Amino acid sequence: VAFAAMVNIFVVAKDPDEGLDMAALVTRHGYPIEEHFVTTPDGYILGMFRIPHGKNASSHNASKPPVLLQHALLDSSFAYVCNLPNESLGYILADEGYDVWFGNNRGNKYSTNHTHLDPKEKDFWKFTYDDMALTDLPTEVDYITSVTGASQISYVGHSEGTIQAFAGFSQNQTLASKIRVFIALAPVAYVYHIKTTFMQIICKLDLDEMLVLFGDKSFLPSTSIISKLAPGICDTQ
């Protein structure tokens, strides 16, 4: 009996959301979702998603301006919908009447297509934050204003999504004029004052040079192995 009780402690029912991609997850929670693709001037094909209205609305009748949610480093638009509807910003904004758009920077799991480059080629990965700020961001914003007819949109960036916005809006006044409000979550512009010991060690090790030695393509991609390990690692039961 005692052994059986111990076994039961470690038996956790599978989360029905586990393993779902963004479109499938949003649909499972009862929200409408659209997938869009937009091509940058330098050929990257960015995957974007849209929740045009909340769960209880019947059509594209959002009463508030479009809003673009941009993800953080090593992340994707999935971050804004991966929790429960009352805990995920994407759902919350949609239920509040916003036309919610989700961006994905070049190279993440939803933006690995290109007009003539293959992700297996080194040239595909020759980009920096500057490209995300000066190319990806205006491409996404222009696409949203074109599709919706809105002259301005709201913008919410998280970490990487803020650094590209700080750079993009300051360098491109035309782009900045299309932003109604910019909300920065965990904003970052410079990393000179990092206090975490682990991060200080990484900086001193010249991590960028180490990565070139081990491979200069994708870093921590969303592989099947990581996907299988993550539920157990992240489980809080």
Side-chain angles (χ1 to χ4, degrees):
V1 175
F3 177 75
M6 291 179 63
V7 171
N8 286 332
I9 293 176
F10 296 100
V11 176
V12 179
K14 181 178 179 179
D15 187 332
D17 291 346
E18 182 182 329
L20 298 182
D21 63 13
M22 180 161 175
L25 179 63
V26 173
T27 300
R28 200 190 82 77
H29 284 297
Y31 290 80
I33 186 167
E34 302 170 2
E35 188 169 10
H36 295 253
F37 295 96
V38 57
T39 304
T40 65
D42 55 349
Y44 287 86
I45 302 173
L46 310 179
M48 300 182 69
F49 292 93
R50 179 191 193 188
I51 299 180
H53 55 76
K55 184 185 297 187
N56 298 320
S58 58
S59 63
H60 291 211
N61 60 351
S63 60
K64 298 177 182 178
V67 55
L68 171 60
L69 308 184
Q70 196 71 25
H71 60 81
L73 179 67
L74 303 178
D75 209 343
S76 74
S77 55
F78 188 81
Y80 288 108
V81 298
C82 62
N83 289 320
L84 296 175
N86 65 331
E87 300 173 330
S88 297
L89 185 59
Y91 303 126
I92 293 171
L93 290 175
D95 286 333
E96 286 296 320
Y98 287 93
D99 180 3
V100 187
W101 290 77
F102 304 82
N104 284 291
N105 287 321
R106 59 184 65 197
N108 85 351
K109 65 178 294 183
Y110 295 113
S111 297
T112 55
N113 291 319
H114 195 280
T115 55
H116 61 274
L117 294 175
D118 189 289
K120 296 179 181 178
E121 300 177 51
K122 290 184 178 181
D123 285 346
F124 178 92
W125 300 99
K126 290 183 178 179
F127 57 78
T128 69
Y129 288 125
D130 289 337
D131 298 295
M132 298 175 188
L134 304 179
T135 307
D136 291 0
L137 183 54
T139 298
E140 291 179 341
V141 172
D142 287 347
Y143 181 79
I144 294 171
T145 56
S146 174
V147 171
T148 64
S151 59
Q152 289 186 315
I153 71 170
S154 300
Y155 180 89
V156 179
H158 175 211
S159 191
E160 178 181 278
T162 69
I163 194 170
Q164 71 187 104
F166 287 134
F169 299 154
S170 63
Q171 294 292 317
N172 186 337
Q173 294 305 304
T174 300
L175 172 63
S177 69
K178 298 177 183 179
I179 304 302
R180 180 172 175 266
V181 60
F182 167 29
I183 299 173
L185 306 177
V188 56
Y190 302 98
V191 292
Y192 298 133
H193 303 294
I194 291 177
K195 296 181 179 179
T196 305
T197 302
F198 175 71
M199 293 305 296
Q200 288 179 337
I201 292 174
I202 289 179
C203 291
K204 293 178 181 179
L205 289 176
D206 293 325
L207 183 61
D208 55 338
E209 296 181 9
M210 292 178 62
L211 292 177
V212 171
L213 292 176
F214 291 103
D216 51 4
K217 297 178 182 177
S218 58
F219 179 65
L220 291 182
S222 180
T223 64
S224 58
I225 295 178
I226 294 177
S227 297
K228 291 178 180 179
L229 291 176
I233 296 173
C234 299
D235 180 52
T236 58
Q237 296 295 324

